[in-house]
Amino acid sequence: MKVERLLAIVIMLLNKRRMSAPELAHHFEVSLRTIYRDLEAINTAGIPIVAYPGSNGGYEIMESFTIDRQYLSLEELVTVIAALKGVQSSYADSQVGHLLEKIKTLATTGSERTGTGTVHPIVYDFNPWGSTKESMSKVSQLRQAIENKQRVSFLYTKLQGDSQERTVEPATLILKGYVWYVYGYCLWRQSYRLFRLSRIADLTVSEETFNPHATAIETLKWLEEWEGVDQVSLVLEFSPSVHVRVKDIFRPHEMEQRENGSLLVRTVASNDEWLHGMLLSFGEALTVIEPEAIRHRIRDSVKKMIERYES
């Protein structure tokens, strides 16, 4: 514990420059005498500690002292810091916070304090849109269960609306786009499955532990589940009023500008509820040209909507 405290004191002094002995004692919940001994030990180890008297006094590490970066340049370390801040935004993790403090220390050069005012050219924010404290709590619970190899149980609702109790041995958490998933071995299915966190309710972490099943997660075969098995080729025509939205969804090589100002889109997508809802959201600004089955489905949905509002 003493070694960890000594390292923590060094990191705090490098990042915050000057701290008083009472501040350090309060932070580490030890006596002033212990802090004085720690500071002396750090100084003896070759890290120069300087004491400043007065109301604004305290202890700091000599300004000329830095930890050798060795393998990474300052610019590379600043990039790592920006990325870690993005990771930290997605879920509460003390390990990420500690790592961020250490990386900041490596990026410290003289009087320059990276991360206390410098803005990186890129801001990474992995916090999904619409995330709540509840969803972040699920992430934290599952992260802990993965580390401790504990089984979890939950009520899972499939896209079709039916729900079922599942017991899973979680292997990894995945943030895909703006959606969190957990990938694990489902005891009911007797195979690895992907579960969307927004469809998980009544999550419980069991005291029961497990031995991981043999699987090659590195091959990412489970990514196929995101693509779906039912792929459909689409030809869509969008009116000029929705061009901005269309360009947000589809890739440039899939779009063709027509003489009448409309956009013709040729793409391949999973034939699921998301696709159906997305197409309906364009209303009269969209004409489905192909395939005929999608045309009929959109037409039938619109008819039912009209009937409901006319009744």
Side-chain angles (χ1 to χ4, degrees):
M1 180 62 188
K2 179 179 179 181
V3 174
E4 293 177 357
R5 188 173 66 246
L6 294 178
L7 177 60
I9 291 174
V10 171
I11 291 172
M12 290 183 70
L13 292 180
L14 282 169
N15 286 331
K16 298 183 179 181
R17 291 190 61 89
R18 185 178 300 178
M19 294 185 71
S20 67
E23 283 179 314
L24 290 168
H26 177 74
H27 179 83
F28 293 102
E29 299 180 346
V30 296
S31 67
L32 280 172
R33 180 176 296 181
T34 298
I35 290 298
Y36 291 138
R37 280 200 294 258
D38 287 346
L39 292 171
E40 183 178 352
I42 292 171
N43 197 53
T44 303
I47 301 176
I49 301 289
V50 181
Y52 292 90
S55 58
N56 295 323
Y59 295 87
E60 67 177 61
I61 292 177
M62 188 177 294
E63 188 171 323
S64 60
F65 176 83
T66 58
I67 297 177
D68 187 7
R69 292 190 295 269
Q70 294 185 358
Y71 301 114
L72 297 175
S73 68
L74 178 61
E75 291 74 17
E76 290 169 332
L77 287 169
V78 170
T79 299
V80 172
I81 290 171
L84 282 174
K85 286 181 178 178
V87 172
Q88 198 175 37
S89 72
S90 64
Y91 66 101
D93 189 324
S94 58
Q95 290 184 353
V96 174
H98 294 155
L99 179 58
L100 187 56
E101 285 296 309
K102 291 179 182 180
I103 297 295
K104 283 182 180 179
T105 299
L106 294 178
T108 301
T109 55
S111 60
E112 178 186 349
R113 302 289 159 176
T114 303
T116 59
T118 303
V119 179
H120 190 263
I122 301 176
V123 173
Y124 303 91
D125 189 347
F126 303 125
N127 199 27
W129 291 108
S131 62
T132 62
K133 289 183 178 180
E134 182 184 2
S135 63
M136 292 299 99
S137 175
K138 289 179 186 177
V139 172
S140 297
Q141 284 180 276
L142 288 166
R143 165 71 185 274
Q144 195 69 34
I146 291 168
E147 290 183 346
N148 297 332
K149 295 181 174 57
Q150 294 171 281
R151 288 177 174 172
V152 297
S153 298
F154 49 79
L155 183 68
Y156 192 70
T157 303
K158 295 193 293 186
L159 186 61
Q160 294 75 15
D162 54 316
S163 301
Q164 188 177 40
E165 288 282 350
R166 299 290 185 99
T167 299
V168 173
E169 297 173 349
T172 186
L173 281 161
I174 305 150
L175 180 59
K176 172 73 171 176
Y178 59 90
V179 179
W180 277 105
Y181 298 85
V182 61
Y183 180 65
Y185 188 84
C186 176
L187 298 187
W188 182 65
R189 292 285 190 181
Q190 291 293 294
S191 63
Y192 278 91
R193 286 291 188 272
L194 195 65
F195 300 94
R196 182 168 174 154
L197 262 61
S198 61
R199 298 177 189 163
I200 288 177
D202 303 328
L203 174 65
T204 302
V205 179
S206 170
E207 294 296 325
E208 186 178 3
T209 59
F210 64 90
N211 293 318
H213 294 262
T215 182
I217 293 179
E218 294 79 8
T219 61
L220 305 184
K221 289 182 179 178
W222 33 265
L223 288 174
E224 296 171 2
E225 297 187 36
W226 283 315
E227 300 299 331
V229 294
D230 185 11
Q231 300 286 296
V232 60
S233 296
L234 298 164
V235 181
L236 313 169
E237 185 174 8
F238 297 90
S239 66
S241 61
V242 294
H243 280 194
V244 174
R245 277 192 62 201
V246 174
K247 291 176 181 178
D248 284 342
I249 297 174
F250 301 100
R251 289 167 288 192
H253 71 270
E254 296 176 329
M255 296 179 286
E256 174 189 338
Q257 183 83 42
R258 309 196 81 179
E259 292 183 1
N260 62 3
S262 66
L263 271 181
L264 191 68
V265 173
R266 293 183 175 87
T267 189
V268 176
S270 297
N271 189 6
D272 55 19
E273 290 300 320
W274 180 88
L275 174 66
H276 186 219
M278 183 272 290
L279 295 177
L280 281 172
S281 71
F282 282 96
E284 62 183 12
L286 165 66
T287 301
V288 178
I289 299 175
E290 295 178 10
E292 197 66 25
I294 300 295
R295 284 176 58 88
H296 290 166
R297 186 175 180 182
I298 295 295
R299 181 196 61 197
D300 293 343
S301 295
V302 172
K303 281 184 177 180
K304 290 177 181 178
M305 291 170 65
I306 294 173
E307 290 172 0
R308 171 165 294 183
Y309 284 103
E310 286 183 342
S311 61

